[in-house]
Amino acid sequence: MNEDKYSYTLAEIAEYIGAKLIGEEQYRVSAIASLQKADSHQLSFLSNASYHKYLSSTDAGCVILHPEQEVLFNGNKLVTNTPYNAFALATELFKPVYNHVDGIHESAVVGNGSTIGEGVSIGANVVIGNNVTIAGGTIIGAGCYIGDNTIIDVDVLIHSNVSIYHDTVIGKGSIIHSNAVIASDGFGFAHNKVESGWQKIHQLGGVVIGQNVEIGAGTTIDRGALDNTVIGNGVKLDNQIQIAHNVEIGENTAIAAATAIAGSTVIGKRCTIAGAVGIVGHLTIVDDVHITAMTLVTKSIKTSGSYSSGVPMNKTEIWRKNAARFNRLWKSLKS
Amino acid sequence: MNEDKYSYTLAEIAEYIGAKLIGEEQYRVSAIASLQKADSHQLSFLSNASYHKYLSSTDAGCVILHPEQEVLFNGNKLVTNTPYNAFALATELFKPVYNHVDGIHESAVVGNGSTIGEGVSIGANVVIGNNVTIAGGTIIGAGCYIGDNTIIDVDVLIHSNVSIYHDTVIGKGSIIHSNAVIASDGFGFAHNKVESGWQKIHQLGGVVIGQNVEIGAGTTIDRGALDNTVIGNGVKLDNQIQIAHNVEIGENTAIAAATAIAGSTVIGKRCTIAGAVGIVGHLTIVDDVHITAMTLVTKSIKTSGSYSSGVPMNKTEIWRKNAARFNRLWKSLKS
Amino acid sequence: MNEDKYSYTLAEIAEYIGAKLIGEEQYRVSAIASLQKADSHQLSFLSNASYHKYLSSTDAGCVILHPEQEVLFNGNKLVTNTPYNAFALATELFKPVYNHVDGIHESAVVGNGSTIGEGVSIGANVVIGNNVTIAGGTIIGAGCYIGDNTIIDVDVLIHSNVSIYHDTVIGKGSIIHSNAVIASDGFGFAHNKVESGWQKIHQLGGVVIGQNVEIGAGTTIDRGALDNTVIGNGVKLDNQIQIAHNVEIGENTAIAAATAIAGSTVIGKRCTIAGAVGIVGHLTIVDDVHITAMTLVTKSIKTSGSYSSGVPMNKTEIWRKNAARFNRLWKSLKS
C-alpha cells in the first residue's frame, strides 16, 4: 500500500539492517512483499526454511536471507545470520509516517500546571488534565483523554481515542493503540452481607508502564487497589487484553489478544502467552513460561516450560459423545 | 420505545414487506412487539412454530405469519412464506433515524486533499486525515478518527468514537458500531535473541472491508503485515471480536461476540461462528462451517459441518472429580 | 499515590467507618496501605486471617481489624466486626476527586430539547443528542457521546470516551468506565436463503440500567431487539464484558472481566460470575449461582450453587496425551 512513496538503494538497506549485500548497490526497491507476491521493485525475505521453495520463482528485486540459503538464490541478496530480525528492521524504512499535528492542536484542552515538552504533538480534541507531564517527541492522537498527574516520557505514541486515567506513568518509546483504556478502576467491592449488595473499594493505586511497551487496541489495564499495576519494560500486549488491578508483568513478556489476567497475579519475564488465555488472580508465574491458546490457568506455575489446557475440537457429533463421557469420568474411572 | 413516532396502514406494510394482507387495509400500527406483549396498535410476527400457542391470546393488531399458520389466527394478518425475513424487513419501517448533522459539523477537522461526497454527514469532533475519500450518503458519528488515505464508499454508517487508521477501504452500505478500531497494527515482532526483547515489525498492509459488512461495538481488526486483512461482502461481526493481521473472512460469514481469530487464518464463505471461539493462526477453514460457542480451533477445517470443543458444565464438586480424572487419562487409558 | 493530599485523625476515621478506636484520637494518617507496606502515617487493615502474621511487624499507624484479632496488635486500632467493609468505606476518604469541569464545557455540543440538571458537569468535546435528560450531580467525561432521548439520573459518573446510543435509561449513582458502549445494536439478522446473505433486523428496544450499577472499561451492552436489555440495581460489571440484546441481569449480581452473555439470557440476583465465562443465549440462571472462570454455560441453571467447566492446565506434553485420549473417549468408555 506504500509503493512509490519510498525508494532506497540496496546499499542503503544493507547498511540500515547490517547485512552483506551481494548484488547491485544502486538497485532501488520501493516496498516489501512476500516471496510469492514481490515484484522486481520490492524487497523480500526468507526466514522460515519451509519457504525456500519460493526462492527459485520469486520476482523480488532483492531477498534477505541466511548464509545457508545464499546459494539457492541468484538475484540480489542481503545476507545475514538473523534474516527475520533484519526484515523487521527493514520495515522501519517503509513505515508510513503517523499523521500528527505540529505542536498542540487549537481544539485540544490542556489543564492547569501541565508541562508539554519540546516537539510534542497533541492532536485535535485531546483533553489533558491538571499537572500532567508530557516529555519531548511524544505524539498524542485525536480524541485522547489524559487524567491528572499523569507522566508520559519521551517518544511515546498514543493513537486516537485512548483514555488514560489520573496518576499513570508511561515509559519512553511506548506505543498505545486506539481505544485502549489505562488505569480505569480495578474491580474491587466488599460484599455487604446486610444488604446483599456491593460496597465500592475506591482504587487508590496507579499504573506504571515501562519503556518500549506496546499496548493493543481496546486493551484495558486497571489501576491498583492500593499499590500499582506494573507493566515491565519491553512488554508487548496485543488487542483486547484485560489486565486487572495489581497485576505485575515482567520484562519482555508478550501476550496475544483477548487474554484476561485477574487481580494481583504476577507474571515473570520473557513469557509468551497465547490468545484468549484466562489466568485467575493471586498467582505467580515464573520467567520463561509459554502458555498455549485458550488455556485456563488456576494455579501458580513454578517451573519454566509450556503449559496447556482445553480439549481438541472435533465434529460436533463426536465431540458430544466424548463430552458426555467426560461428565461421567468420576463414575467410569477410579479416583 | 418508538411508539407514537410511526404510523403505517397495513396496506403500506403489506406492500413494503411483500406479504398478502388478509384484513383491514386502513388499520394502523405504530410499533412492533412480540406476540405476548403486542397491543392492538402493534404489529407482531410468528416465525418459530413453537410460539403458535400465543396466537390465540395475542392482542396484536396484525400478525405476520406463514400460510400454514394462517388458519390459527382470526385477526389481521400478513401472510408470507418467509415470515422472519418479512419481520426483518418490517423493522426497517420502525427504526429510529440515527441523529446526524447536515454536512460537516463546525468542530470537525478535515485534512488536506480529502474529498467529502454529497450528502455526507460528519459529526462533531470528528478528525479526518489527509487524502481521505468519503462518498455520498455516508454518516460519520461524533468523535471518530479516520486516518490518511482511507476510502469510504457510499451509504456507510459509522457510529461514535470509532478509530480507523490510515489506508483502510470500507465498502458501500457497511455499518461500524461505536468504539470499534479498524486497521490498528498487527501484533508483529521479531525476537531479538541477544537482548531477549522484541523488535517491532511495522505493519505495512491495510484493511479492506467489503460491502454491507456490519462490525460490532469494540471489535478490533488489525492491518496486515505486508498484504491486507480482508473482510468479505456481507460479513457480520458482533461486538468485541478480534481479527488479527492478514485474516481473510469470506462472504456472508457471521461471527458472534468475543471470538478471537489469530493472524493469517482464512475463513470461508457462509460460515457461522458462535461466541467466544478462539481460532489460532495460519489455518484454513472451508465454506459452510459452523463452530459452536467457546470452541478452540487449532487445526484447519477441510470439510463443511459443525465443530465443537470444550467440556460440559457441571456442579463444581462433580466437575472437580471429572477434571482430576481427565488429568490422569494418559495413565488410565491406553494410547 | 495520594499521600500528603489527605490527612485525617483516627477519631474522624473511626466515626466515618463506624469502628471503635483503641488508641490516639488525634493521630493522623494520610493514606491506606497493606500491612506489609504501610508506614506510620498510613492506615492498614486485616480482613483475611491468613495475614495476621504481618500484624507483629507492620509499621502501620493504625490497623482496622476484627475483635478476635484485637489482642494481636498493640498499636492504634479500629475494631469492627466487618473489617473489610470498614476498609472499603475508608477508601472513600482517600479517593481522588475525578477532574471535571464546572457546568458545560464550551466545546460540548448539546442537542435541541435536552435538559441539563443543576450541578451537572459536561466535559470537553462531549456530544449530546436531542431530548436528552441529565439529572443533577451527574458528571460526563471528555469525549462521550450520548444519543437522543437518553435519560440519566442523578449522581451518575461517566468516564471519558463512552458511547451511549439513543433511548437509554441510566439509574442514579451508576458509574460507567471509559470506552464502554451502551445500547449498540444487538446482533440480529434474518438469513436470506435466496441470496445466502443476512438481512438486518433493526433493533427497536433499548437498554435500562438500574441504580448503583458499575460498568467496566470497554464493556459493551447491546440494545434489545423489541424489548429492553435490563441491568438490575447494584449490578457490577468488570471490563470488556459483552451483554447481548435482551439479556436481563438481576440485582447485585457481579460479573468479572471478559465474560460474554448471549442474547435473551436471564440471570438471577446475587450471582457471582467469574472472568472469561461464556453463556449461550435464551437460558435462565436462578438467583445465587456462582460460576467459575472460563466456564461455558450451555444449559439453564435451575438450582443455586457453584458450577464449572473446562479441564485443568498441565505441562503441554502431558496435556497432549490427555487431550488425545479425551478425543477417543467415545470408543474407550461405554456410553
Side-chain angles (χ1 to χ4, degrees):
Chain A
M1 310 221 43
N2 301 291
E3 287 168 58
D4 304 328
K5 289 198 214 162
Y6 303 93
S7 175
Y8 300 98
T9 65
L10 298 184
E12 287 168 332
I13 293 173
E15 189 181 349
Y16 192 82
I17 69 173
K20 177 181 153 199
L21 172 63
I22 302 181
E24 305 155 77
E25 292 203 347
Q26 295 310 311
Y27 193 90
R28 287 185 167 272
V29 290
S30 59
I32 308 183
S34 62
L35 286 172
Q36 303 100 297
K37 298 207 175 174
D39 66 29
S40 63
H41 301 294
Q42 294 178 322
L43 175 67
S44 194
F45 68 102
L46 175 67
S47 66
N48 181 332
S50 71
Y51 288 104
H52 71 60
K53 61 187 174 194
Y54 296 114
L55 274 182
S56 57
S57 58
T58 185
D59 293 323
C62 180
V63 175
I64 302 170
L65 40 61
H66 191 274
E68 287 176 7
Q69 268 89 38
E70 198 194 310
V71 295
L72 301 172
F73 186 64
N74 293 320
N76 294 315
K77 45 200 165 189
L78 289 158
V79 182
T80 165
N81 285 317
T82 53
Y84 197 59
N85 295 73
F87 154 65
L89 210 48
T91 63
E92 186 93 31
L93 294 171
F94 296 92
K95 73 172 177 179
V97 177
Y98 183 60
N99 181 346
H100 59 281
V101 302
D102 286 333
I104 302 177
H105 192 274
E106 58 181 10
S107 63
V109 176
V110 179
N112 297 321
S114 290
T115 308
I116 309 298
E118 220 171 311
V120 166
S121 166
I122 297 188
N125 302 322
V126 168
V127 178
I128 294 177
N130 299 323
N131 303 312
V132 170
T133 303
I134 301 181
T138 282
I139 297 172
I140 315 261
C144 290
Y145 172 79
I146 317 277
D148 292 354
N149 311 314
T150 285
I151 299 170
I152 302 179
D153 205 344
V154 299
D155 297 332
V156 168
L157 171 56
I158 301 180
H159 288 267
S160 59
N161 290 325
V162 168
S163 296
I164 300 176
Y165 288 47
H166 57 93
D167 290 296
T168 300
V169 175
I170 300 175
K172 75 172 178 185
S174 289
I175 298 171
I176 303 180
H177 285 283
S178 287
N179 294 57
V181 179
I182 314 296
S184 41
D185 284 358
F187 196 62
F189 300 91
H191 191 238
N192 185 322
K193 283 165 193 160
V194 182
E195 302 171 15
S196 297
W198 300 97
Q199 198 175 342
K200 185 169 176 69
I201 298 170
H202 294 276
Q203 303 289 299
L204 306 178
V207 172
V208 176
I209 293 170
Q211 301 175 0
N212 298 315
V213 169
E214 188 155 341
I215 296 173
T219 282
T220 54
I221 301 178
D222 277 347
R223 66 190 315 110
L226 294 173
D227 300 322
N228 294 323
T229 303
V230 180
I231 311 295
N233 293 335
V235 166
K236 307 299 177 189
L237 302 178
D238 198 354
N239 297 348
Q240 294 197 52
I241 288 171
Q242 151 70 359
I243 308 288
H245 52 183
N246 300 106
V247 164
E248 299 181 19
I249 302 182
E251 289 183 13
N252 294 320
T253 282
I255 304 181
T259 283
I261 304 174
S264 298
T265 281
V266 177
I267 295 176
K269 298 174 183 174
R270 299 176 303 276
C271 294
T272 49
I273 300 179
V277 166
I279 305 182
V280 307
H282 298 275
L283 303 185
T284 301
I285 294 174
V286 298
D287 299 343
D288 301 303
V289 164
H290 174 65
I291 301 176
T292 62
M294 235 166 146
T295 293
L296 169 63
V297 183
T298 59
K299 292 184 179 167
S300 289
I301 299 179
K302 296 171 181 173
T303 315
S304 69
S306 179
Y307 295 83
S308 304
S309 77
V311 301
M313 183 191 73
N314 212 322
K315 284 255 184 192
T316 300
E317 67 209 52
I318 303 290
W319 167 79
R320 273 212 195 93
K321 294 180 189 176
N322 292 327
R325 280 160 181 79
F326 172 89
N327 237 5
R328 291 190 307 267
L329 283 182
W330 67 288
K331 291 183 182 169
S332 310
L333 297 176
K334 280 185 205 157
S335 68
Chain B
M1 310 221 47
N2 300 293
E3 289 169 57
D4 305 327
K5 290 197 214 163
Y6 303 92
S7 176
Y8 299 99
T9 65
L10 298 185
E12 287 169 333
I13 293 174
E15 188 180 348
Y16 192 81
I17 68 174
K20 176 182 152 198
L21 171 63
I22 302 181
E24 306 155 77
E25 292 202 344
Q26 296 309 311
Y27 193 90
R28 288 186 166 272
V29 290
S30 59
I32 307 183
S34 62
L35 286 172
Q36 303 99 297
K37 298 206 175 173
D39 67 28
S40 63
H41 302 294
Q42 295 177 322
L43 174 67
S44 193
F45 68 103
L46 175 67
S47 64
N48 181 332
S50 71
Y51 288 104
H52 72 59
K53 61 187 173 193
Y54 296 114
L55 274 183
S56 57
S57 59
T58 186
D59 292 324
C62 181
V63 175
I64 301 170
L65 40 61
H66 191 274
E68 288 176 7
Q69 269 89 38
E70 198 194 310
V71 295
L72 302 172
F73 186 63
N74 293 320
N76 294 314
K77 45 200 165 190
L78 288 157
V79 182
T80 165
N81 284 318
T82 54
Y84 197 58
N85 294 72
F87 154 65
L89 210 49
T91 64
E92 186 93 30
L93 294 171
F94 296 92
K95 72 172 177 177
V97 177
Y98 184 60
N99 180 347
H100 60 281
V101 302
D102 286 333
I104 302 176
H105 193 273
E106 58 182 9
S107 63
V109 176
V110 179
N112 299 322
S114 291
T115 307
I116 310 298
E118 219 171 310
V120 166
S121 166
I122 297 188
N125 303 320
V126 168
V127 178
I128 294 177
N130 300 323
N131 304 314
V132 169
T133 302
I134 301 181
T138 283
I139 297 173
I140 316 264
C144 289
Y145 172 78
I146 316 276
D148 293 354
N149 311 317
T150 285
I151 298 171
I152 302 179
D153 205 344
V154 299
D155 296 332
V156 168
L157 171 58
I158 302 179
H159 288 269
S160 59
N161 290 323
V162 167
S163 296
I164 300 176
Y165 287 48
H166 57 92
D167 290 296
T168 300
V169 176
I170 300 175
K172 75 172 177 185
S174 290
I175 297 172
I176 303 180
H177 285 283
S178 287
N179 294 58
V181 179
I182 313 296
S184 41
D185 284 359
F187 197 61
F189 300 92
H191 191 239
N192 184 323
K193 284 165 192 160
V194 182
E195 301 170 15
S196 297
W198 300 97
Q199 199 174 342
K200 185 170 176 69
I201 299 170
H202 293 276
Q203 302 290 298
L204 307 178
V207 172
V208 176
I209 293 171
Q211 301 176 359
N212 297 315
V213 169
E214 188 155 343
I215 296 173
T219 282
T220 54
I221 301 177
D222 278 348
R223 65 189 317 109
L226 294 173
D227 299 322
N228 294 323
T229 303
V230 180
I231 311 296
N233 293 335
V235 167
K236 307 299 177 189
L237 301 178
D238 198 354
N239 297 349
Q240 295 197 53
I241 288 171
Q242 151 70 1
I243 307 287
H245 51 183
N246 300 106
V247 165
E248 299 181 19
I249 302 181
E251 288 184 12
N252 293 320
T253 282
I255 304 181
T259 283
I261 304 174
S264 298
T265 282
V266 177
I267 294 175
K269 297 174 183 175
R270 298 176 303 276
C271 294
T272 50
I273 301 179
V277 166
I279 305 181
V280 307
H282 298 275
L283 304 185
T284 300
I285 294 175
V286 298
D287 298 343
D288 300 304
V289 164
H290 175 64
I291 302 176
T292 63
M294 236 167 145
T295 293
L296 169 62
V297 182
T298 59
K299 292 184 179 167
S300 289
I301 299 179
K302 296 170 182 173
T303 314
S304 70
S306 180
Y307 294 83
S308 303
S309 78
V311 300
M313 183 190 75
N314 212 323
K315 283 255 181 191
T316 299
E317 67 209 51
I318 302 291
W319 168 79
R320 275 213 194 92
K321 295 180 190 176
N322 292 328
R325 280 160 180 80
F326 172 89
N327 237 6
R328 290 190 307 269
L329 283 182
W330 67 289
K331 292 182 181 169
S332 311
L333 297 177
K334 280 185 203 154
S335 67
Chain C
M1 311 220 42
N2 302 292
E3 287 168 57
D4 304 328
K5 289 197 214 165
Y6 303 92
S7 175
Y8 300 98
T9 65
L10 298 184
E12 286 168 332
I13 293 173
E15 190 181 348
Y16 193 81
I17 68 173
K20 177 181 151 196
L21 172 64
I22 302 181
E24 305 156 77
E25 292 202 345
Q26 296 308 311
Y27 193 89
R28 286 185 167 273
V29 290
S30 59
I32 307 183
S34 62
L35 286 172
Q36 302 100 298
K37 298 207 174 173
D39 68 28
S40 64
H41 302 295
Q42 294 177 322
L43 175 66
S44 193
F45 68 101
L46 174 68
S47 66
N48 181 332
S50 71
Y51 289 104
H52 71 61
K53 61 188 174 193
Y54 296 115
L55 274 182
S56 56
S57 59
T58 185
D59 293 324
C62 181
V63 176
I64 302 170
L65 41 60
H66 190 273
E68 287 175 7
Q69 268 89 37
E70 198 195 309
V71 295
L72 301 171
F73 186 63
N74 293 319
N76 293 315
K77 46 199 164 191
L78 288 157
V79 183
T80 165
N81 285 318
T82 54
Y84 197 59
N85 295 72
F87 153 66
L89 210 49
T91 63
E92 185 93 31
L93 293 171
F94 296 92
K95 71 173 179 178
V97 177
Y98 183 61
N99 181 345
H100 60 279
V101 302
D102 286 334
I104 302 176
H105 193 274
E106 57 182 9
S107 63
V109 176
V110 179
N112 298 321
S114 290
T115 308
I116 310 297
E118 221 173 307
V120 166
S121 167
I122 297 188
N125 303 322
V126 168
V127 177
I128 293 177
N130 299 323
N131 303 314
V132 170
T133 302
I134 301 181
T138 283
I139 298 172
I140 316 264
C144 289
Y145 172 77
I146 317 276
D148 293 354
N149 311 316
T150 285
I151 298 170
I152 302 179
D153 205 344
V154 299
D155 297 332
V156 168
L157 171 57
I158 302 179
H159 288 269
S160 59
N161 290 325
V162 167
S163 296
I164 300 176
Y165 288 47
H166 58 93
D167 289 297
T168 300
V169 175
I170 300 175
K172 76 172 177 185
S174 290
I175 298 171
I176 303 180
H177 285 284
S178 287
N179 295 57
V181 179
I182 313 297
S184 41
D185 284 358
F187 196 62
F189 300 92
H191 192 239
N192 184 324
K193 283 165 194 162
V194 182
E195 301 171 14
S196 297
W198 300 98
Q199 197 176 344
K200 184 169 177 69
I201 299 170
H202 293 276
Q203 303 289 298
L204 306 179
V207 172
V208 176
I209 293 170
Q211 301 176 0
N212 298 313
V213 169
E214 188 155 341
I215 296 173
T219 283
T220 53
I221 302 177
D222 278 346
R223 65 190 317 107
L226 293 173
D227 299 322
N228 294 323
T229 303
V230 180
I231 311 296
N233 293 335
V235 166
K236 307 300 178 188
L237 302 178
D238 198 354
N239 298 348
Q240 294 196 54
I241 288 171
Q242 151 70 0
I243 307 288
H245 51 183
N246 299 106
V247 165
E248 299 182 17
I249 302 182
E251 288 184 12
N252 294 318
T253 282
I255 304 181
T259 284
I261 303 174
S264 298
T265 281
V266 177
I267 295 176
K269 298 174 182 175
R270 299 176 303 276
C271 294
T272 50
I273 300 178
V277 166
I279 305 181
V280 306
H282 297 275
L283 304 184
T284 300
I285 294 175
V286 298
D287 298 342
D288 301 303
V289 164
H290 175 64
I291 301 176
T292 63
M294 234 165 147
T295 293
L296 169 62
V297 182
T298 59
K299 291 184 179 167
S300 289
I301 299 180
K302 295 172 182 172
T303 315
S304 70
S306 180
Y307 295 83
S308 303
S309 77
V311 301
M313 184 190 73
N314 212 323
K315 284 255 184 192
T316 299
E317 66 210 51
I318 303 290
W319 167 78
R320 273 212 196 92
K321 295 180 190 177
N322 292 328
R325 280 160 181 79
F326 173 89
N327 238 5
R328 291 190 306 268
L329 283 182
W330 67 288
K331 291 181 180 169
S332 309
L333 297 177
K334 281 185 206 157
S335 66

